[in-house]
Amino acid sequence: MGLTRNKRKTDPEIVIARDTDSELSSSSSSEEEDNYPLSESEEEDEAVKSGGKIELEKNKAKGNAPITVKLIKKVCKVCKQPGHEAGFKGATYIDCPMKPCFLCKMPGHTTMSCPHRVVTDHGILPTSHRNKKNSIDFVFKRQLQPRIPPIKPKYVIPDQVHCAVIRYHSRRVTCLEFHPTKNNILLSGDKKGQIGVWDFAKVYEKNVYGNIHSVQVNNIRFSPTNDDMVYSASSDGTIGYTDLETGTSSTLLNLNPDGWQGPNNWKMLYGMDINSEKGVVLAADNFGFLHMIDHRTNNGTGEPILIHKQGSKVVGLDCNPVQPELLLSCGNDHFARIWDMRKLQPKASLNDLAHKRVVNSAYFSPSSGTKILTTCQDNRIRIWDSIFGNLDLPSREIVHSNDFNRHLTPFKAEWDPKDTSESLIVVGRYISENYNGTALHPIDFIDASNGQLVAEVMDPNITTITPVNKLHPRDDVLASGSSRSLFIWRPQDKTEMVEEKKDKKIIICSGDSKKKGKKQKRGSDDEDDEDDMFISKGKNIKVNKSQAKTTKSSRKTKT
DNA sequence: ATTCCATGATGCC
DNA sequence: TGGCATCCCTGGAA
């Protein structure tokens, strides 16, 4: 198990090692890279070519030959059967053919040959994009099939990292929220319970509140009546109400007043939204119940209501943007449910949208509120085109790699709030692709009206999965959280010089005080990993060890 | 340096 | 029904 992990981590480094540019030699990372060994996979390959000699010699050299001499017999790591291999081969993952497809979950083929696979190779257009017909064919097809949606204005995709805060949070980012009026303020919650406030226009202005929650923040909402006040729902079972100016915070709801009574009793709050018409903050817990707080008095209202299967986690709540009586919920009982706010009682939902697995998120469309978008752990994004129509089945299912996995914040496909056609959605991708020798996990922009991939956004600097994505309500900006870091993406300005664009790219690296001692031993001087943040532009990006590696590879891929 | 663990849902028995 | 191994992850602790 450790093997696979190490292997994955070393793979991108091979590329970097070949790139002997000394640009970053001032950082402490270069010496290790210079004599970096072959990756384990390459070593393994050689061992096989030479009939396992390497392995035997190793044993001899140790002097104490074990009784069981391990010959390297190629056995699949996944199913333990001989004859094939599974796992990462460089930056490409080879599926075990004995398992169902990792992408669409159907048996009989692997991800490589999956009909839903988006990218076949780097630089090649996705099959869904390949324009096999000419424009006349297209027009003709439109006449024959009126259901093909009208041509929409071209989407503006924020596909370039504009700025970032590397290792901003001390645990992984769990949620993001833009300020309702100040365009450059981004709030972020993390697994540790901290809430960050970042002015990404000034880049270096950031603030972290650590006193609000004790564990994972699951949702942040601004008060509809006061821009400085935010509500936050957390797995510590509380709703926090925090003044961003002063940092003072109060607890509006605490589901665990008696403290820790064992894991079976600990209540956590996940989904949260605000119904400003009704003046109520809604939050749902991990036992299937909905809680409400009057947001004018900030007092709880009424008893909790069972809205999902008893004992199952309710992960998402969404109030309809047009019709205040409508509430959407989703949860681990494999359902998304539509509720009438006037009739909130167990089993009284207006509709139950069935899914095959856990529903990570369910959102009404942002303008009309008549469509529903859900993300499900069966690797499918579902769209219901009209809440007034038949909701037995979704209008479309889009196969998309958004498996839940340990240590990952659940993927949630989100609408672009600016797209009045209510088509563009953004969602991070779990499965990786091989981009010039580096495994990257892009952020996908999908046209929800036809399921087509509009854009896949990535940066060689970001090798971690990016499950948390939020599109700006007014600007062409995407904010994303990947592991502990935050990124701001803006559209590539094609009229600008590339060089100038590069110079605009700013990366802040904020060191972690806890790690300091450990990491600094490696360096020859004390330059890296200080608690100060480093701001630099263009080529002089000064980063810590792990960032330095990927920065190098980024140069390689870009030139 | 390396291993282990947390944490969540699933699927198999 | 419940216990348990498994999973294309990640970071920190032991």
Side-chain angles (χ1 to χ4, degrees), chain A residues 27-29 31-32 512-530 545:
Chain A
S27 89
S28 63
S29 63
E31 58 180 310
E32 190 187 282
D512 189 329
S513 52
K514 279 182 202 161
K515 271 187 124 178
K516 194 176 169 183
K518 206 191 258 178
K519 275 221 157 186
Q520 290 220 340
K521 280 181 198 166
R522 299 164 166 275
S524 51
D525 52 36
D526 282 348
E527 263 184 73
D528 71 333
D529 232 356
E530 286 166 15
K545 190 171 146 57

Side-chain angles (χ1 to χ4, degrees), chain A residues 248-274:
Chain A
T248 50
S249 183
S250 54
T251 300
L252 303 186
L253 177 68
N254 183 3
L255 299 183
N256 305 297
D258 302 324
W260 181 255
Q261 304 286 324
N264 295 332
N265 297 304
W266 187 256
K267 289 176 179 160
M268 306 187 254
L269 284 167
Y270 281 86
M272 179 182 67
D273 202 6
I274 298 175

Side-chain angles (χ1 to χ4, degrees), chain A residues 275 278 292 323-327 339-345 348 350:
Chain A
N275 187 328
K278 301 205 167 271
M292 284 190 272
Q323 177 49 260
E325 307 298 347
L326 289 181
L327 172 70
W339 300 87
D340 186 335
M341 288 289 290
R342 295 162 297 191
K343 215 174 76 178
L344 277 175
Q345 43 189 277
L350 300 177

Side-chain angles (χ1 to χ4, degrees), chain A residues 161-165 198 200 203 486-489 505-507:
Chain A
V161 172
H162 180 77
C163 60
V165 201
W198 180 31
F200 57 84
V203 186
L486 295 184
F487 298 90
I488 293 291
W489 308 72
K505 188 162 163 178
I506 301 166
I507 292 190

Side-chain angles (χ1 to χ4, degrees), chain A residues 207-227:
Chain A
N207 207 346
V208 177
Y209 295 109
N211 60 333
I212 305 169
H213 294 293
S214 55
V215 285
Q216 161 163 351
V217 182
N218 292 310
N219 247 313
I220 303 172
R221 287 285 184 277
F222 278 86
S223 162
T225 53
N226 184 344
D227 279 358

